[in-house]
Amino acid sequence: MSTVGIIANPVSGKDIRRLVAHGSVFDNQEKVRIVRRLLTGLDAAGVDRVVYMPDYYGIVERSLLSLSPSMPVCPLEGVCQENNQDDSTRAGRRMEEMGVGCIVVLGGDGTNRAVMKGNSDVPVLPISTGTNNVFPTMVEATVAGTAAGLVATGRVSRTEGTYRASRLEILLDGAMTDLALVDVAVYDDVFIASRAIWDMTRVSQLFLTRARPENIGLSAIGGQLMTISPGEPRGMALELGSRGVSVTAPIAPGMFRTVNVADRYLLEPGEEHLVRAGPCVLALDGEREVEVRKGCRASVRLGEKGPNVVDVPGTMEWSRRKKLFCS
């Protein structure tokens, strides 16, 4: 039986960057409409069952009020306990244990990071509904549902329809404690506080899994220097300072900042790079998450076992070649 999981974050697209930058608010009713279109795509692809993470707003439940898909759509029991990112992690873990064929995530970089902390191998299809959206993409949900369904049913294989992305692994005193999908910033502070970062004068190092000039967020800084695509098994590290190459990039919606890149070098899989500052805070995928205490040895390592991501255009191209929707 082919099964697809849906994790829709009701709080994505509403953080402090709406106040300090010019991010738009992504309301939950729009997420309801996205899920509705997503379900029609899954139905068309022949998915047998859908499971989803319940949430306080009832995103999936509301989408079913005016839709009657042919497959059952069932909530996961016991995963929503705290109404925070840990719920997404629990849902991702439960879905992997159930053997779902694909997980569709509605959220931003932070939501997808939370899901991938619980899911190590199931293909994920991220739909952008957050703030700094580099890992998830803006894709029409009808097509996204079709692609997710084709991979989940095996009509398009994982080899044909997905790619393996890299990840950044956070090590404290040699033990891996957290991960990031897009970027890690070393931030000169001792408190997590409001999480989002926008004061680039306090950032001394950046570690990136990807870099493209059209990105939004911290990876856009690296994208002005060179291009690293999501599927490449390498990353980039930047040392920021008072001298070096001056780079201007959009670090948040409607917010440009100029930094000096004193040095840059490529990250190879398995290489461990020391965090030079301390005590400090590490921002993961745009949000302060990890406090590095005095005397703690912190480092960042590029890992190859990152998310298995559905390539929507590639999957749909394979469906065309196989004439899956032609008779």
Side-chain angles (χ1 to χ4, degrees):
M1 177 179 289
S2 60
T3 305
V4 170
I6 298 176
I7 298 176
N9 183 2
V11 300
S12 66
K14 300 180 179 69
D15 65 26
I16 195 173
R17 280 164 288 196
R18 273 77 192 157
L19 300 177
V20 301
H22 300 284
S24 58
V25 175
F26 213 107
D27 68 86
N28 287 331
Q29 190 54 42
E30 178 58 25
K31 295 171 190 175
V32 171
R33 289 188 283 267
I34 288 175
V35 171
R36 193 172 293 141
R37 300 195 298 272
L38 174 66
L39 290 171
T40 63
L42 294 173
D43 210 352
V47 171
D48 295 312
R49 182 179 62 159
V50 172
V51 295
Y52 67 91
M53 180 188 79
D55 66 87
Y56 68 82
Y57 187 78
I59 293 173
V60 177
E61 293 93 331
R62 289 170 185 256
S63 74
L64 293 169
L65 294 177
S66 60
L67 190 70
S68 299
S70 63
M71 70 278 189
V73 181
C74 310
L76 291 178
E77 301 296 336
V79 296
C80 292
Q81 302 173 10
E82 302 175 51
N83 285 323
N84 59 26
Q85 63 180 3
D86 291 338
D87 290 349
S88 296
T89 301
R90 276 188 290 270
R93 183 177 298 113
R94 178 77 63 82
M95 289 175 182
E96 183 174 43
E97 292 169 350
M98 293 174 61
V100 304
C102 184
I103 300 175
V104 181
V105 181
L106 276 67
D109 292 335
T111 303
N112 281 276
R113 169 179 160 270
V115 172
M116 296 313 301
K117 289 170 70 173
N119 164 46
S120 61
D121 191 56
V122 176
V124 61
L125 197 161
I127 299 178
S128 173
T129 63
T131 306
N132 280 13
N133 299 308
V134 178
F135 182 78
T137 57
M138 298 295 290
V139 57
E140 164 51 39
T142 312
V143 179
T146 306
L150 292 174
V151 170
T153 58
R155 299 171 73 190
V156 175
S157 70
R158 291 192 184 188
T159 302
E160 296 165 336
T162 70
Y163 65 88
R164 179 72 75 173
S166 300
R167 69 181 188 180
L168 294 167
E169 299 167 350
I170 313 305
L171 294 89
L172 298 181
D173 291 329
M176 181 177 164
T177 60
D178 217 322
L179 62 87
L181 301 180
V182 179
D183 55 65
V184 174
V186 179
Y187 196 76
D188 180 20
D189 204 343
V190 294
F191 300 110
I192 290 176
S194 59
R195 294 190 179 273
I197 62 175
W198 56 89
D199 184 358
M200 293 303 298
T201 64
R202 306 180 77 170
V203 177
S204 58
Q205 290 174 278
L206 283 177
F207 301 91
L208 311 171
T209 62
R210 62 195 69 194
R212 299 188 65 86
E214 72 270 23
N215 284 357
I216 191 78
L218 300 180
S219 65
I221 296 172
Q224 295 300 321
L225 300 172
M226 67 177 298
T227 295
I228 298 178
S229 297
E232 292 186 49
R234 60 175 182 165
M236 182 193 303
L238 304 178
E239 300 281 348
L240 307 186
S242 59
R243 300 179 180 179
V245 179
S246 180
V247 176
T248 301
I251 66 164
M255 177 183 286
F256 281 83
R257 290 292 183 267
T258 300
V259 299
N260 291 318
V261 178
D263 198 7
R264 66 181 172 98
Y265 44 90
L266 291 177
L267 300 178
E268 299 297 335
E271 287 185 355
E272 186 177 332
H273 296 266
L274 189 67
V275 173
R276 305 187 192 284
C280 63
V281 172
L282 302 183
L284 313 181
D285 294 331
E287 296 187 343
R288 284 173 274 182
E289 294 282 353
V290 178
E291 295 179 355
V292 180
R293 305 292 186 180
K294 183 178 181 180
C296 178
R297 183 183 186 276
S299 59
V300 178
R301 179 175 64 201
L302 184 71
E304 292 182 284
K305 295 184 178 180
N308 199 12
V309 185
V310 176
D311 176 2
V312 175
T315 297
M316 298 310 295
E317 173 61 18
W318 274 107
S319 75
R320 182 195 66 80
R321 293 184 188 181
K322 295 181 176 184
K323 300 186 183 300
L324 297 180
F325 293 98
C326 296
S327 58

PDB file of all heavy atoms in Angstrom, residues 299-326:
ATOM      1  N   SER A 299      32.319  22.532  16.520  1.00  0.00           N
ATOM      2  CA  SER A 299      32.780  22.405  15.134  1.00  0.00           C
ATOM      3  C   SER A 299      31.598  22.070  14.241  1.00  0.00           C
ATOM      4  O   SER A 299      30.521  21.675  14.709  1.00  0.00           O
ATOM      5  CB  SER A 299      33.872  21.341  15.017  1.00  0.00           C
ATOM      6  OG  SER A 299      33.392  20.087  15.469  1.00  0.00           O
ATOM      7  N   VAL A 300      31.797  22.232  12.939  1.00  0.00           N
ATOM      8  CA  VAL A 300      30.768  21.964  11.936  1.00  0.00           C
ATOM      9  C   VAL A 300      31.351  20.999  10.917  1.00  0.00           C
ATOM     10  O   VAL A 300      32.476  21.174  10.453  1.00  0.00           O
ATOM     11  CB  VAL A 300      30.315  23.262  11.241  1.00  0.00           C
ATOM     12  CG1 VAL A 300      29.275  22.957  10.162  1.00  0.00           C
ATOM     13  CG2 VAL A 300      29.733  24.242  12.261  1.00  0.00           C
ATOM     14  N   ARG A 301      30.577  19.988  10.565  1.00  0.00           N
ATOM     15  CA  ARG A 301      31.019  18.968   9.620  1.00  0.00           C
ATOM     16  C   ARG A 301      30.008  18.827   8.488  1.00  0.00           C
ATOM     17  O   ARG A 301      28.800  18.829   8.722  1.00  0.00           O
ATOM     18  CB  ARG A 301      31.179  17.627  10.345  1.00  0.00           C
ATOM     19  CG  ARG A 301      31.620  16.458   9.461  1.00  0.00           C
ATOM     20  CD  ARG A 301      31.852  15.222  10.335  1.00  0.00           C
ATOM     21  NE  ARG A 301      30.614  14.780  10.978  1.00  0.00           N
ATOM     22  CZ  ARG A 301      30.575  14.020  12.076  1.00  0.00           C
ATOM     23  NH1 ARG A 301      31.695  13.654  12.671  1.00  0.00           N
ATOM     24  NH2 ARG A 301      29.411  13.644  12.583  1.00  0.00           N
ATOM     25  N   LEU A 302      30.503  18.733   7.263  1.00  0.00           N
ATOM     26  CA  LEU A 302      29.611  18.506   6.117  1.00  0.00           C
ATOM     27  C   LEU A 302      29.307  17.016   6.020  1.00  0.00           C
ATOM     28  O   LEU A 302      30.216  16.198   5.863  1.00  0.00           O
ATOM     29  CB  LEU A 302      30.255  18.997   4.821  1.00  0.00           C
ATOM     30  CG  LEU A 302      29.362  18.884   3.578  1.00  0.00           C
ATOM     31  CD1 LEU A 302      28.229  19.899   3.642  1.00  0.00           C
ATOM     32  CD2 LEU A 302      30.172  19.090   2.293  1.00  0.00           C
ATOM     33  N   GLY A 303      28.021  16.679   6.139  1.00  0.00           N
ATOM     34  CA  GLY A 303      27.607  15.283   6.060  1.00  0.00           C
ATOM     35  C   GLY A 303      26.912  14.981   4.749  1.00  0.00           C
ATOM     36  O   GLY A 303      26.150  15.799   4.222  1.00  0.00           O
ATOM     37  N   GLU A 304      27.161  13.790   4.203  1.00  0.00           N
ATOM     38  CA  GLU A 304      26.550  13.384   2.933  1.00  0.00           C
ATOM     39  C   GLU A 304      25.155  12.808   3.114  1.00  0.00           C
ATOM     40  O   GLU A 304      24.384  12.730   2.159  1.00  0.00           O
ATOM     41  CB  GLU A 304      27.428  12.340   2.243  1.00  0.00           C
ATOM     42  CG  GLU A 304      28.768  12.870   1.753  1.00  0.00           C
ATOM     43  CD  GLU A 304      29.582  11.804   1.046  1.00  0.00           C
ATOM     44  OE1 GLU A 304      30.149  10.942   1.735  1.00  0.00           O
ATOM     45  OE2 GLU A 304      29.622  11.825  -0.201  1.00  0.00           O
ATOM     46  N   LYS A 305      24.819  12.383   4.328  1.00  0.00           N
ATOM     47  CA  LYS A 305      23.530  11.729   4.551  1.00  0.00           C
ATOM     48  C   LYS A 305      22.459  12.745   4.901  1.00  0.00           C
ATOM     49  O   LYS A 305      21.810  12.672   5.942  1.00  0.00           O
ATOM     50  CB  LYS A 305      23.667  10.671   5.645  1.00  0.00           C
ATOM     51  CG  LYS A 305      24.575   9.523   5.245  1.00  0.00           C
ATOM     52  CD  LYS A 305      24.622   8.447   6.316  1.00  0.00           C
ATOM     53  CE  LYS A 305      25.497   7.279   5.887  1.00  0.00           C
ATOM     54  NZ  LYS A 305      25.567   6.212   6.914  1.00  0.00           N
ATOM     55  N   GLY A 306      22.295  13.702   4.003  1.00  0.00           N
ATOM     56  CA  GLY A 306      21.256  14.696   4.172  1.00  0.00           C
ATOM     57  C   GLY A 306      19.934  14.207   3.616  1.00  0.00           C
ATOM     58  O   GLY A 306      19.756  13.014   3.338  1.00  0.00           O
ATOM     59  N   PRO A 307      18.982  15.103   3.432  1.00  0.00           N
ATOM     60  CA  PRO A 307      17.650  14.710   2.982  1.00  0.00           C
ATOM     61  C   PRO A 307      17.651  14.106   1.588  1.00  0.00           C
ATOM     62  O   PRO A 307      18.413  14.503   0.707  1.00  0.00           O
ATOM     63  CB  PRO A 307      16.870  16.033   2.993  1.00  0.00           C
ATOM     64  CG  PRO A 307      17.706  16.999   3.732  1.00  0.00           C
ATOM     65  CD  PRO A 307      19.103  16.533   3.680  1.00  0.00           C
ATOM     66  N   ASN A 308      16.769  13.138   1.408  1.00  0.00           N
ATOM     67  CA  ASN A 308      16.484  12.577   0.089  1.00  0.00           C
ATOM     68  C   ASN A 308      15.319  13.393  -0.479  1.00  0.00           C
ATOM     69  O   ASN A 308      14.200  13.303   0.025  1.00  0.00           O
ATOM     70  CB  ASN A 308      16.110  11.105   0.236  1.00  0.00           C
ATOM     71  CG  ASN A 308      16.253  10.331  -1.048  1.00  0.00           C
ATOM     72  OD1 ASN A 308      16.833  10.806  -2.016  1.00  0.00           O
ATOM     73  ND2 ASN A 308      15.705   9.133  -1.070  1.00  0.00           N
ATOM     74  N   VAL A 309      15.582  14.235  -1.473  1.00  0.00           N
ATOM     75  CA  VAL A 309      14.627  15.263  -1.903  1.00  0.00           C
ATOM     76  C   VAL A 309      14.012  14.903  -3.256  1.00  0.00           C
ATOM     77  O   VAL A 309      14.729  14.490  -4.187  1.00  0.00           O
ATOM     78  CB  VAL A 309      15.323  16.642  -2.007  1.00  0.00           C
ATOM     79  CG1 VAL A 309      14.304  17.730  -2.342  1.00  0.00           C
ATOM     80  CG2 VAL A 309      16.049  16.977  -0.711  1.00  0.00           C
ATOM     81  N   VAL A 310      12.694  15.065  -3.350  1.00  0.00           N
ATOM     82  CA  VAL A 310      12.013  14.827  -4.618  1.00  0.00           C
ATOM     83  C   VAL A 310      12.320  15.966  -5.586  1.00  0.00           C
ATOM     84  O   VAL A 310      12.127  17.141  -5.261  1.00  0.00           O
ATOM     85  CB  VAL A 310      10.491  14.704  -4.423  1.00  0.00           C
ATOM     86  CG1 VAL A 310       9.788  14.561  -5.774  1.00  0.00           C
ATOM     87  CG2 VAL A 310      10.169  13.516  -3.524  1.00  0.00           C
ATOM     88  N   ASP A 311      12.811  15.618  -6.755  1.00  0.00           N
ATOM     89  CA  ASP A 311      13.052  16.574  -7.836  1.00  0.00           C
ATOM     90  C   ASP A 311      11.763  16.653  -8.651  1.00  0.00           C
ATOM     91  O   ASP A 311      11.485  15.765  -9.469  1.00  0.00           O
ATOM     92  CB  ASP A 311      14.224  16.086  -8.687  1.00  0.00           C
ATOM     93  CG  ASP A 311      14.491  16.956  -9.903  1.00  0.00           C
ATOM     94  OD1 ASP A 311      13.795  17.978 -10.082  1.00  0.00           O
ATOM     95  OD2 ASP A 311      15.380  16.605 -10.703  1.00  0.00           O
ATOM     96  N   VAL A 312      10.969  17.688  -8.404  1.00  0.00           N
ATOM     97  CA  VAL A 312       9.648  17.764  -9.039  1.00  0.00           C
ATOM     98  C   VAL A 312       9.748  17.824 -10.563  1.00  0.00           C
ATOM     99  O   VAL A 312       9.106  17.023 -11.256  1.00  0.00           O
ATOM    100  CB  VAL A 312       8.841  18.952  -8.481  1.00  0.00           C
ATOM    101  CG1 VAL A 312       7.516  19.098  -9.239  1.00  0.00           C
ATOM    102  CG2 VAL A 312       8.575  18.755  -6.991  1.00  0.00           C
ATOM    103  N   PRO A 313      10.541  18.747 -11.168  1.00  0.00           N
ATOM    104  CA  PRO A 313      10.644  18.739 -12.625  1.00  0.00           C
ATOM    105  C   PRO A 313      11.182  17.418 -13.174  1.00  0.00           C
ATOM    106  O   PRO A 313      10.697  16.913 -14.198  1.00  0.00           O
ATOM    107  CB  PRO A 313      11.601  19.901 -12.924  1.00  0.00           C
ATOM    108  CG  PRO A 313      11.515  20.783 -11.731  1.00  0.00           C
ATOM    109  CD  PRO A 313      11.307  19.863 -10.572  1.00  0.00           C
ATOM    110  N   GLY A 314      12.185  16.845 -12.496  1.00  0.00           N
ATOM    111  CA  GLY A 314      12.746  15.582 -12.959  1.00  0.00           C
ATOM    112  C   GLY A 314      11.745  14.445 -12.892  1.00  0.00           C
ATOM    113  O   GLY A 314      11.657  13.610 -13.805  1.00  0.00           O
ATOM    114  N   THR A 315      10.966  14.404 -11.807  1.00  0.00           N
ATOM    115  CA  THR A 315       9.956  13.360 -11.666  1.00  0.00           C
ATOM    116  C   THR A 315       8.887  13.480 -12.738  1.00  0.00           C
ATOM    117  O   THR A 315       8.472  12.480 -13.349  1.00  0.00           O
ATOM    118  CB  THR A 315       9.306  13.434 -10.267  1.00  0.00           C
ATOM    119  OG1 THR A 315      10.310  13.184  -9.279  1.00  0.00           O
ATOM    120  CG2 THR A 315       8.185  12.419 -10.125  1.00  0.00           C
ATOM    121  N   MET A 316       8.441  14.696 -12.982  1.00  0.00           N
ATOM    122  CA  MET A 316       7.405  14.883 -14.005  1.00  0.00           C
ATOM    123  C   MET A 316       7.933  14.596 -15.407  1.00  0.00           C
ATOM    124  O   MET A 316       7.192  14.123 -16.276  1.00  0.00           O
ATOM    125  CB  MET A 316       6.845  16.303 -13.910  1.00  0.00           C
ATOM    126  CG  MET A 316       6.170  16.622 -12.576  1.00  0.00           C
ATOM    127  SD  MET A 316       4.952  15.386 -12.051  1.00  0.00           S
ATOM    128  CE  MET A 316       3.721  15.566 -13.354  1.00  0.00           C
ATOM    129  N   GLU A 317       9.225  14.848 -15.635  1.00  0.00           N
ATOM    130  CA  GLU A 317       9.818  14.503 -16.926  1.00  0.00           C
ATOM    131  C   GLU A 317       9.846  12.985 -17.118  1.00  0.00           C
ATOM    132  O   GLU A 317       9.568  12.480 -18.210  1.00  0.00           O
ATOM    133  CB  GLU A 317      11.231  15.092 -17.021  1.00  0.00           C
ATOM    134  CG  GLU A 317      12.022  14.662 -18.246  1.00  0.00           C
ATOM    135  CD  GLU A 317      11.390  15.074 -19.575  1.00  0.00           C
ATOM    136  OE1 GLU A 317      10.525  15.976 -19.592  1.00  0.00           O
ATOM    137  OE2 GLU A 317      11.748  14.481 -20.610  1.00  0.00           O
ATOM    138  N   TRP A 318      10.173  12.259 -16.054  1.00  0.00           N
ATOM    139  CA  TRP A 318      10.158  10.803 -16.148  1.00  0.00           C
ATOM    140  C   TRP A 318       8.747  10.286 -16.384  1.00  0.00           C
ATOM    141  O   TRP A 318       8.553   9.304 -17.123  1.00  0.00           O
ATOM    142  CB  TRP A 318      10.756  10.174 -14.893  1.00  0.00           C
ATOM    143  CG  TRP A 318      12.249  10.042 -14.955  1.00  0.00           C
ATOM    144  CD1 TRP A 318      13.173  10.775 -14.286  1.00  0.00           C
ATOM    145  CD2 TRP A 318      12.977   9.113 -15.753  1.00  0.00           C
ATOM    146  NE1 TRP A 318      14.444  10.387 -14.621  1.00  0.00           N
ATOM    147  CE2 TRP A 318      14.356   9.357 -15.507  1.00  0.00           C
ATOM    148  CE3 TRP A 318      12.622   8.111 -16.645  1.00  0.00           C
ATOM    149  CZ2 TRP A 318      15.367   8.622 -16.146  1.00  0.00           C
ATOM    150  CZ3 TRP A 318      13.623   7.368 -17.274  1.00  0.00           C
ATOM    151  CH2 TRP A 318      14.974   7.615 -17.024  1.00  0.00           C
ATOM    152  N   SER A 319       7.753  10.925 -15.783  1.00  0.00           N
ATOM    153  CA  SER A 319       6.371  10.494 -16.014  1.00  0.00           C
ATOM    154  C   SER A 319       5.989  10.696 -17.475  1.00  0.00           C
ATOM    155  O   SER A 319       5.244   9.895 -18.053  1.00  0.00           O
ATOM    156  CB  SER A 319       5.409  11.249 -15.095  1.00  0.00           C
ATOM    157  OG  SER A 319       5.193  12.582 -15.524  1.00  0.00           O
ATOM    158  N   ARG A 320       6.510  11.758 -18.081  1.00  0.00           N
ATOM    159  CA  ARG A 320       6.245  11.984 -19.499  1.00  0.00           C
ATOM    160  C   ARG A 320       6.911  10.918 -20.357  1.00  0.00           C
ATOM    161  O   ARG A 320       6.301  10.352 -21.274  1.00  0.00           O
ATOM    162  CB  ARG A 320       6.733  13.367 -19.918  1.00  0.00           C
ATOM    163  CG  ARG A 320       6.444  13.716 -21.385  1.00  0.00           C
ATOM    164  CD  ARG A 320       7.246  14.911 -21.858  1.00  0.00           C
ATOM    165  NE  ARG A 320       8.684  14.627 -21.888  1.00  0.00           N
ATOM    166  CZ  ARG A 320       9.287  13.952 -22.867  1.00  0.00           C
ATOM    167  NH1 ARG A 320       8.581  13.460 -23.880  1.00  0.00           N
ATOM    168  NH2 ARG A 320      10.585  13.754 -22.831  1.00  0.00           N
ATOM    169  N   ARG A 321       8.179  10.616 -20.038  1.00  0.00           N
ATOM    170  CA  ARG A 321       8.909   9.609 -20.813  1.00  0.00           C
ATOM    171  C   ARG A 321       8.232   8.247 -20.722  1.00  0.00           C
ATOM    172  O   ARG A 321       8.198   7.491 -21.702  1.00  0.00           O
ATOM    173  CB  ARG A 321      10.348   9.497 -20.302  1.00  0.00           C
ATOM    174  CG  ARG A 321      11.204  10.723 -20.542  1.00  0.00           C
ATOM    175  CD  ARG A 321      12.634  10.463 -20.077  1.00  0.00           C
ATOM    176  NE  ARG A 321      13.444  11.675 -20.105  1.00  0.00           N
ATOM    177  CZ  ARG A 321      14.723  11.709 -19.775  1.00  0.00           C
ATOM    178  NH1 ARG A 321      15.338  10.594 -19.384  1.00  0.00           N
ATOM    179  NH2 ARG A 321      15.392  12.839 -19.816  1.00  0.00           N
ATOM    180  N   LYS A 322       7.720   7.931 -19.554  1.00  0.00           N
ATOM    181  CA  LYS A 322       7.068   6.635 -19.353  1.00  0.00           C
ATOM    182  C   LYS A 322       5.605   6.646 -19.784  1.00  0.00           C
ATOM    183  O   LYS A 322       4.931   5.622 -19.692  1.00  0.00           O
ATOM    184  CB  LYS A 322       7.167   6.238 -17.873  1.00  0.00           C
ATOM    185  CG  LYS A 322       8.584   5.991 -17.388  1.00  0.00           C
ATOM    186  CD  LYS A 322       8.587   5.573 -15.918  1.00  0.00           C
ATOM    187  CE  LYS A 322       9.982   5.235 -15.450  1.00  0.00           C
ATOM    188  NZ  LYS A 322       9.999   4.736 -14.047  1.00  0.00           N
ATOM    189  N   LYS A 323       5.114   7.821 -20.191  1.00  0.00           N
ATOM    190  CA  LYS A 323       3.734   7.982 -20.632  1.00  0.00           C
ATOM    191  C   LYS A 323       2.740   7.507 -19.559  1.00  0.00           C
ATOM    192  O   LYS A 323       1.767   6.825 -19.835  1.00  0.00           O
ATOM    193  CB  LYS A 323       3.500   7.238 -21.951  1.00  0.00           C
ATOM    194  CG  LYS A 323       4.376   7.728 -23.096  1.00  0.00           C
ATOM    195  CD  LYS A 323       4.012   7.090 -24.394  1.00  0.00           C
ATOM    196  CE  LYS A 323       4.958   7.560 -25.512  1.00  0.00           C
ATOM    197  NZ  LYS A 323       4.933   9.011 -25.730  1.00  0.00           N
ATOM    198  N   LEU A 324       3.015   7.910 -18.301  1.00  0.00           N
ATOM    199  CA  LEU A 324       2.194   7.471 -17.195  1.00  0.00           C
ATOM    200  C   LEU A 324       0.793   8.073 -17.222  1.00  0.00           C
ATOM    201  O   LEU A 324      -0.128   7.520 -16.624  1.00  0.00           O
ATOM    202  CB  LEU A 324       2.886   7.816 -15.864  1.00  0.00           C
ATOM    203  CG  LEU A 324       4.237   7.131 -15.617  1.00  0.00           C
ATOM    204  CD1 LEU A 324       4.799   7.561 -14.263  1.00  0.00           C
ATOM    205  CD2 LEU A 324       4.095   5.618 -15.671  1.00  0.00           C
ATOM    206  N   PHE A 325       0.654   9.220 -17.873  1.00  0.00           N
ATOM    207  CA  PHE A 325      -0.653   9.859 -17.956  1.00  0.00           C
ATOM    208  C   PHE A 325      -1.184   9.869 -19.382  1.00  0.00           C
ATOM    209  O   PHE A 325      -2.026  10.690 -19.739  1.00  0.00           O
ATOM    210  CB  PHE A 325      -0.574  11.277 -17.379  1.00  0.00           C
ATOM    211  CG  PHE A 325      -0.305  11.316 -15.907  1.00  0.00           C
ATOM    212  CD1 PHE A 325       0.962  11.517 -15.418  1.00  0.00           C
ATOM    213  CD2 PHE A 325      -1.351  11.113 -15.002  1.00  0.00           C
ATOM    214  CE1 PHE A 325       1.213  11.543 -14.043  1.00  0.00           C
ATOM    215  CE2 PHE A 325      -1.112  11.135 -13.642  1.00  0.00           C
ATOM    216  CZ  PHE A 325       0.167  11.341 -13.152  1.00  0.00           C
ATOM    217  N   CYS A 326      -0.661   8.968 -20.193  1.00  0.00           N
ATOM    218  CA  CYS A 326      -1.126   8.821 -21.568  1.00  0.00           C
ATOM    219  C   CYS A 326      -1.593   7.390 -21.787  1.00  0.00           C
ATOM    220  O   CYS A 326      -1.088   6.454 -21.168  1.00  0.00           O
ATOM    221  CB  CYS A 326       0.001   9.141 -22.568  1.00  0.00           C
ATOM    222  SG  CYS A 326       0.579  10.826 -22.510  1.00  0.00           S
TER     223      CYS A 326
END
